[in-house]
Amino acid sequence: MTAKFVYAFGGGTAEGGADMRNLLGGKGANLAEMASLGLPVPPGFTLTTEVCNAYTRAGGSYPDGLRAEVEAALAAVEKTIGKTFGDPDDPLLVSVRSGARASMPGMMDTVLNLGLNDETVGGLAKSSGDERFAWDSYRRFIQMYGDVVLGVEHHHFEDILADHKDAKGVSLDTDLDAGDWKNVAGDFAAKVEEELGAPFPQDAKDQLWGAIGAVFGSWMNDRAITYRRLHDIPEAWGTAVNIQSMVFGNMGDGSATGVCFTRNPSTGENAFYGEYLINAQGEDVVAGIRTPQPLTVAEREINGGDLPSMEESMPGLFGELDTVRQKLEAHYKDMQDMEFTVQDGKLWMLQTRTGKRTAKAALKIAVDMADAGLISRDEAIRRIDPGQLDQLLHPTLDPAANRNVLARGLPASPGAACGKVVFSAAEAEALAAQGDKVILVRIETSPEDIGGMHAAEGILTTRGGMTSHAAVVARGMGRPCVAGAGEIRVDYNARTLTAMGQTVGEGDVITIDGGRGEVMLGEVKSIQPELTGDFGTLMSWVDEVRELRVRTNAETPEDAETARKFGAEGIGLCRTEHMFFDPARIVNMREMILAADEDGRRAALAKLLPYQRDDFIELFTIMKGLPVTVRLLDPPLHEFLPNTDEEMAEVADAAGTEIREVKARAASLHEANPMLGLRGCRLGIMYPEIYEMQCRAIFEAASEVQKITGEAVTPEVMIPLVGAKAELDILKDVVDRVAAEVREAGGAGVEYMTGTMIELPRAALTADAIAETAEFFSFGTNDLTQTTYGLSRDDSGSFLDTYRSKGIYETDPFVSIDPAGVGELVRIAAEKGRATRSDIKLGICGEHGGDPASVAFCHKVGLEYVSCSPYRVPIARLAAAQAALGVEALVNA
Amino acid sequence: MTAKFVYAFGGGTAEGGADMRNLLGGKGANLAEMASLGLPVPPGFTLTTEVCNAYTRAGGSYPDGLRAEVEAALAAVEKTIGKTFGDPDDPLLVSVRSGARASMPGMMDTVLNLGLNDETVGGLAKSSGDERFAWDSYRRFIQMYGDVVLGVEHHHFEDILADHKDAKGVSLDTDLDAGDWKNVAGDFAAKVEEELGAPFPQDAKDQLWGAIGAVFGSWMNDRAITYRRLHDIPEAWGTAVNIQSMVFGNMGDGSATGVCFTRNPSTGENAFYGEYLINAQGEDVVAGIRTPQPLTVAEREINGGDLPSMEESMPGLFGELDTVRQKLEAHYKDMQDMEFTVQDGKLWMLQTRTGKRTAKAALKIAVDMADAGLISRDEAIRRIDPGQLDQLLHPTLDPAANRNVLARGLPASPGAACGKVVFSAAEAEALAAQGDKVILVRIETSPEDIGGMHAAEGILTTRGGMTSHAAVVARGMGRPCVAGAGEIRVDYNARTLTAMGQTVGEGDVITIDGGRGEVMLGEVKSIQPELTGDFGTLMSWVDEVRELRVRTNAETPEDAETARKFGAEGIGLCRTEHMFFDPARIVNMREMILAADEDGRRAALAKLLPYQRDDFIELFTIMKGLPVTVRLLDPPLHEFLPNTDEEMAEVADAAGTEIREVKARAASLHEANPMLGLRGCRLGIMYPEIYEMQCRAIFEAASEVQKITGEAVTPEVMIPLVGAKAELDILKDVVDRVAAEVREAGGAGVEYMTGTMIELPRAALTADAIAETAEFFSFGTNDLTQTTYGLSRDDSGSFLDTYRSKGIYETDPFVSIDPAGVGELVRIAAEKGRATRSDIKLGICGEHGGDPASVAFCHKVGLEYVSCSPYRVPIARLAAAQAALGVEALVNA
């Protein structure tokens, strides 16, 4: 803890500065910075965040020495402003505001007009020459202080005010005069005394310490705790408290208040932008009671408003403000969001901070500033939040459009989509084939639904989390998805969904917003994404900086094309099983599974071979020589088996057997914990003929594409779920044997690699042995997270929310890699793998590959590439560049 | 590789010795040792195991220099014995035998009488004076060599011999004379030529090299490979080849052959024990064609036989043999198993090795030898195989009894049991209550069956592995169990089981042998265990030596009593959920699960509290102040829900709800992978009131027992499935709060600890953080194995056999801890835990706690205790002592 508790600012100087944000909070640091720059800041001082922590730790008492420092700082303010705190003739009034390191708008408490009492109110009336203003200010103070500091509930004051207006027969505050406000203030004070059994505090210093305590205390209120949890803000940061002399924008028509941005926060255009109100307080602009007026002529003309802009009504002050704008942007080298007040013809700056902006504006501002030489290209890259970039890649709902929200779920895959409701994948495919746009609504999805998901504009499920099948597949396909909308009841038989008492039938139109997790009735207008020049420019800078390569997870030609368009440098994960769900193939797949012996399986596999070979020919052709990692069959076989009697009968027919047999086989394949059962390379060990067929398809396809294009194809054959080196040894022999057979049968000599997914803790722990055989590792962090945590993605939904709300998991470990456990295994495996084989190729292909914090982790561990779903490729590219630039991504601890 | 390939022995000297077992194999090393001791060993020499490895690596060719060494060694034998190899007048004949480091009886090849050909057979006839013997030997040689070396199938020779006997009209070999054997030999040789297109080799040296190659080659035959896999013998050990001059026990009545033990291998009694046959070859004793005669008068009298013992018929030679016996036992300091031959009045020792013995004999011999000062007590401890000890703790089937084996399964829990077949737990309890002995037969068992399993004498399942529910619970209870007997079909409706075409109905009697995995029709006689004085003596020595403490996994008073009897020093795992399956309680448990809200759950929990408190009172009383680790509720709640409509209706009634509701709730609790779902501490986080009730029961019980006995009770509260420190923090607060509440309500101040199971990889990897809160770790290696391998115990049965047969898993990782993966996590966690809290208490409570190799691992890692099922407590005690003595247990690599 530093020795100094209080930092003064104002009068053209300051003890703090913008670089002391951690100690002074954002607001305090920037007030100090503005004061140092000679900008007109009302004088004041900041109590540091360390005081807050000390206060919290000590259960509500202050560190020694604080009072003396506050007294001294207050005296300095009095001297600067020429007024005295508690002076009955011309009192200094102050505001007491919170100010944390990270912005937490509205979460903590504020007290304004502090210093007023039954005596000083008269002094204010005298010095302002406005008795009504003075008594209005006093009653506002009693109300605010009573609520925030003394805990007298808000409604008491509202009731009194309403009574007064009723008594006078008026309905607006503006109809009350000075005498009315004096009566109101008197009744407010009496109410406080009635509630608390003690009079409203009259001593200004008592008021001040009460307010300081309340603001520090508000750091631990429920709202603030919740906000911090949602925004990953540590409790240990604490808040600062800013005490600043009051200025008033409501002292007549020579006064005003406003909010402005140095550039347009929606479009990023380099034009002054803002709103102001004459004779008003800051709250009035925010509260929306009066319609604010535009700051500039240009804005007024765009909006077609009647009211004059500040540029017109207060040209001199506007000029001063524009100078401040230019000074601040040049100083901070970023777009600023400022608050100002004009008191009786004098401009005061109350706040500046880096302005929030849309993704589009962020891009434009960063590129413009870099082009103008204000910031470097590296800095431009640092400025873009990779998560926000996602907004630019999908259609979004028009922010102006009306939303009739029917239900909420998880924002599982971004983008907006609109279409007719269908309740089955088959129906989705049928309607889409007719040219209809459909939204596929399912309780949950399974691999069999993939065709329908592809055909749909968007997907809505009522069960499952951010990493449910629907969510993962939708993100991979770039389809908007709302998952786990538990308020919705789906009735497959009736073909309806019900929510909030409303029933939606098949064919009715709904809109989903996958970025916000909302489901709306009817069509909501949407905006198509535009990959503007700024996007392209920034991404080209990004590619020069990053060290990690970015691949994609893709198995369909469409996904591969999309990913290439987004800059993917190869396929990091091609899930071959997805190729078996096509209706034309699933029958053969089922025939294979149901076969009584190896001969039967081989016969069915022979039918699947041409399909799979053709799939690979397409993929290899699209990828034009870029590496393609093909994962051999991974899921448990029962995932392919039919669920309905009809389908069972069809399979029985095709396989020339009885439905009874099919059911018996399905039952025999049932597993208590399929995630931990007969899947992955275990299938390859038990049924080598399956992997043989897949390898044959890979090598025959690669050979053919090589012959046609004359360019080398570089498949990387990946064996999933290896837990023991011997598994890989046995299966690498299969790969090598089939490669040799294809070559001997006249195929082109295909260069290939054989490697494994590291997705089991044991694989990570024995990676040194496995690397003797594996030429590459791809970290399958989805399954690695499941096994490391002992946590099923499918089943964690019932408690994950509670876990996050209690702070047990700081982030969802399926979204952002867990460095302490899963990440530690990745680190161990990378280290052990390299110890055995120094040039081993290391990548990641779990969902984490598209998460910025996880990308930063991968950079740190020194992986060669990340692989993610096509729509996350640009995000991963940016995150990789930021990691290379040393930007600290928020990694959960 | 050493430079020397061949080690000679015989003539009172030897180049090798007993300490060269790895190089010379067991047989060769001991032949050399006996020769060095001056015992009468037929001279010969040994080709080392390194020659075998070189031969295998080189694909069947010999290292340079081998031939010269063999020639030289053969010449030395010729000189010692005074005969020449291939001499037509008086040929040296040799045997060529395998001899690996570990005994692999009958797995590899042997050739006898080598050196005979059409010429030397005459010399043998002359030198032996027995033409019939010579031609019989020759035809035996052609047959053996033809079969073993030349690959001519056995049946060809048997056919020819049968033809000859038919032609002569006799049925016994003994009815054939010299001429007959000469004809047979001629026909044998002709057959070989016919089959191979080349004459039977006549050159003795050629014969020798052929035999050497065949024996080395037999190291890689299928039988040997299978045997090695089953006995965990590495291929890299190789076999030696022993070439030794032949001696004959079938050269008339002055010749004999026999097998003997220095002590009785069944009882361990210190009495010479063995069998012999006059005028016979070694094979005759083993083959059982002639009934061997006892070696000593004492034995003859015990068996009541008519035939004279060797002590009577050959008193001088018997005396010589008895001298050899004493010399060898004094030399080897262990009971020896010897083979001897008397050729024409001269005793020859053909083999000595450490004799196999029953568990009972092993104990007696070790204790007797230590008492006699022949070996130290430490050595006595080293001598007992902990796995074998198990035999002494359970009833076993009378080895003499006839076994009508109906089916085989896994030897899941040792011991023999006999009773009436029942197909449900309820039926088992009902019949047992009437005093009937029953065997519970289920396809698989679930926690609801526990009452029935307890009531039954033994358990038989048709599905599941060594760590299935049935197996684990049965071992814990000490009930014999045969699991996964897949040949048996159970029909619950018909109440029958079917195997090998035989149908067994409810009430029919079967016997199971859980030590061998056999199921027999009817009653088979069994022998009750007797914990003799030798057992007690040895265990007292064991306790002085071991450093690991041994606790037990127990939750019933019966198990706790048994474990105390077996020397348990506390309870390492009390699974509280087992206390909820009692019919009187399960209804309340279900009521709790089905409750709509916390109030409802609390109401149901209040009914469960007295039961659970009484359980703990009993346990704490039995354990008399020894530590008791109580694991709070662990399994997913759906394990408690009813499966049948009847039961569902009962629950609905009790809970005052509809069966529809019960079904809906059950469905909502369904999980795709329950192993990775809402269980363990996740239940405690979601429903803290459950853990509260359990803690209250623990502390109230401890308090009450303390008050009654005046002795301190030391409960250790264990939170299961912790993966993040915050989980433990939250739940430790619950524990501490309830402990304080009980104390404040007038309870005795109970000293307790709070800790966690380390059963998830993430817990192990973050053990440093977890140890900030945890006062102890108990390694739950069952679940840790499941998550580290990504391998479900319930589902691995379908491929575990294949995995073992392919050598992917050297041992079942659920039986013996996997040092490279699971063990590595244990090591990491122990290290990290101690780094944070140097005195953290570390133990293991998985099934591995009773496995000797795993106990050795725990000793190495420095755990404080292991905990295992009651019947394995003595085994763990012994294994812990052996680990402390540095005995290398077979840990899979």
Side-chain angles (χ1 to χ4, degrees), chain A residues 19-30:
Chain A
D19 56 345
M20 294 168 77
R21 182 181 198 93
N22 293 359
L23 190 63
L24 304 181
K27 181 190 279 283
N30 284 326

Side-chain angles (χ1 to χ4, degrees), chain B residues 296-335:
Chain B
T296 63
V297 175
E299 270 179 73
R300 181 175 60 71
E301 285 170 355
I302 289 168
N303 297 336
D306 302 330
L307 295 167
S309 67
M310 187 180 178
E311 194 174 358
E312 293 157 309
S313 63
M314 295 177 157
L317 287 161
F318 175 81
E320 274 183 54
L321 187 61
D322 195 32
T323 305
V324 169
R325 166 205 173 204
Q326 289 169 34
K327 206 164 184 173
L328 283 177
E329 199 178 85
H331 181 73
Y332 282 101
K333 301 184 194 304
D334 201 355
M335 186 265 270

Side-chain angles (χ1 to χ4, degrees), chain A residues 670-679 681-683 685-686 688 721 723-724 726-727 730 760-763 765-766 786-796 798-799 802-803 806-809 818-822 824-825 828 832 893, chain B residues 670-679 681-683 685-686 688 721 723-724 726-727 730 760-763 765-766 786-796 798-799 802-803 806-809 818-822 824-825 828 832 893:
Chain A
H670 171 80
E671 293 184 307
N673 292 285
M675 178 60 53
L676 310 175
L678 178 52
R679 50 170 291 239
C681 70
R682 295 162 190 167
L683 292 169
I685 297 285
M686 297 300 285
L721 210 75
E727 292 171 318
I730 291 171
L760 296 175
R762 193 174 193 278
L765 293 164
T766 61
Q786 298 200 76
T787 46
T788 303
Y789 273 87
L791 189 66
S792 159
R793 283 202 287 175
D794 299 323
D795 303 314
S796 58
S798 63
F799 54 92
T802 306
Y803 263 54
K806 286 185 188 284
I808 298 172
Y809 295 163
D818 151 48
V822 179
E824 177 66 5
L825 286 174
I828 289 171
K832 291 195 172 196
Chain B
H670 171 79
E671 294 184 308
N673 292 285
M675 178 60 53
L676 310 175
L678 179 51
R679 52 172 288 241
C681 69
R682 295 163 190 167
L683 292 169
I685 297 284
M686 297 300 285
L721 210 74
E727 292 172 318
I730 292 171
L760 295 175
R762 193 175 193 278
L765 294 165
T766 62
Q786 297 200 77
T787 47
T788 303
Y789 274 87
L791 189 66
S792 159
R793 283 200 289 175
D794 299 324
D795 304 314
S796 57
S798 63
F799 53 92
T802 305
Y803 263 54
K806 287 186 187 284
I808 297 172
Y809 295 163
D818 150 48
V822 179
E824 177 66 5
L825 286 174
I828 289 172
K832 291 195 171 196

Side-chain angles (χ1 to χ4, degrees), chain B residues 407-410 460-464 482-490 498-499:
Chain B
R408 287 190 167 77
L410 297 168
L460 166 61
T461 69
T462 60
R463 206 184 281 165
V482 174
E487 305 156 11
I488 296 179
R489 289 277 158 273
V490 167
T498 315

Side-chain angles (χ1 to χ4, degrees), chain A residues 74-260:
Chain A
L74 188 62
V77 172
E78 288 174 332
K79 198 174 159 198
T80 305
I81 208 93
K83 297 179 188 234
T84 305
F85 200 48
D87 180 354
D89 290 328
D90 184 14
L92 169 67
L93 302 187
V94 299
S95 61
V96 181
R97 296 178 203 258
S98 66
R101 192 193 303 194
S103 171
M104 292 171 60
M107 290 302 120
M108 286 174 297
D109 292 331
T110 293
V111 179
L112 302 178
N113 302 323
L114 190 138
L116 283 175
N117 58 27
D118 296 348
E119 281 190 279
T120 57
V121 66
L124 180 63
K126 204 162 55 184
S127 70
S128 67
D130 186 343
E131 199 177 352
R132 183 183 184 280
F133 160 74
W135 283 104
D136 182 17
S137 297
Y138 188 30
R139 72 90 195 174
R140 283 177 193 252
F141 170 61
I142 298 172
Q143 180 169 357
M144 202 173 227
Y145 194 95
D147 177 16
V148 166
V149 181
L150 304 176
V152 177
E153 285 181 37
H154 207 250
H155 70 90
H156 291 302
F157 302 111
E158 279 160 10
D159 291 349
I160 291 168
L161 181 54
D163 288 348
H164 276 270
K165 286 197 275 195
D166 286 352
K168 197 172 178 179
V170 300
S171 64
L172 294 176
D173 285 7
T174 43
D175 295 330
L176 299 182
D177 59 23
D180 295 328
W181 285 128
K182 187 173 177 177
N183 292 336
V184 169
D187 286 359
F188 276 11
K191 188 71 195 177
V192 168
E193 185 159 1
E194 182 190 329
E195 286 292 311
L196 301 176
F200 186 82
Q202 291 294 316
D203 183 83
K205 294 276 172 67
D206 287 351
Q207 291 174 357
L208 181 65
W209 285 105
I212 291 171
V215 176
F216 278 142
S218 68
W219 178 250
M220 296 303 292
N221 74 27
D222 290 346
R223 264 185 326 192
I225 290 170
T226 304
Y227 186 92
R228 286 201 294 273
R229 177 173 55 72
L230 293 174
H231 294 81
D232 293 316
I233 297 172
E235 184 187 308
W237 282 4
T239 183
V241 171
N242 297 293
I243 293 155
Q244 193 175 19
S245 52
M246 288 291 298
V247 290
F248 296 96
N250 56 345
M251 286 179 71
D253 288 350
S255 298
T257 192
V259 172
C260 55

Side-chain angles (χ1 to χ4, degrees), chain B residues 57-81:
Chain B
R57 270 199 306 274
S61 66
Y62 298 107
D64 291 344
L66 178 70
R67 278 176 192 270
E69 286 193 40
V70 168
E71 293 286 346
L74 187 63
V77 172
E78 288 174 335
K79 195 173 162 200
T80 306
I81 207 93

